[in-house]
Amino acid sequence: MGEEKTTPETEKKPDRPDRPDRSQLNAFENFYENFRKVPLKYIDIFIGVCVAALVIVVLVGILKSKGIL
């Protein structure tokens, strides 16, 4: 009776000023946006472990090329 029918055109979209359009985000923000449900602390730890592993691999390669290993 007093109910208003909503259609996709009349349906109100929730305003989310705290989440800008993805085109307005920088590369790091876009990366983190893909993992919203994962705590930021764990993502940062994972990135740190990957960087450390890369450094170790490069150092081992340098040491092998010099004949030390």
Side-chain angles (χ1 to χ4, degrees):
M1 292 186 178
E3 293 181 30
E4 182 181 311
K5 292 183 179 179
T6 59
T7 62
E9 293 83 23
T10 61
E11 187 176 287
K12 287 185 179 179
K13 294 182 179 178
D15 293 330
R16 300 179 106 178
D18 58 331
R19 301 213 25 198
D21 185 26
R22 289 189 68 152
S23 63
Q24 297 175 350
L25 300 175
N26 66 33
F28 290 112
E29 290 170 338
N30 275 330
F31 176 77
Y32 287 126
E33 186 69 20
N34 292 327
F35 300 100
R36 281 188 321 216
K37 295 183 180 181
V38 179
L40 189 62
K41 175 178 138 182
Y42 296 132
I43 295 173
D44 288 340
I45 290 171
F46 176 74
I47 292 171
V49 168
C50 288
V51 168
L54 179 64
V55 168
I56 290 170
V57 167
V58 169
L59 287 175
V60 167
I62 291 171
L63 292 175
K64 279 190 174 186
S65 70
K66 300 224 181 232
I68 297 173
L69 286 179

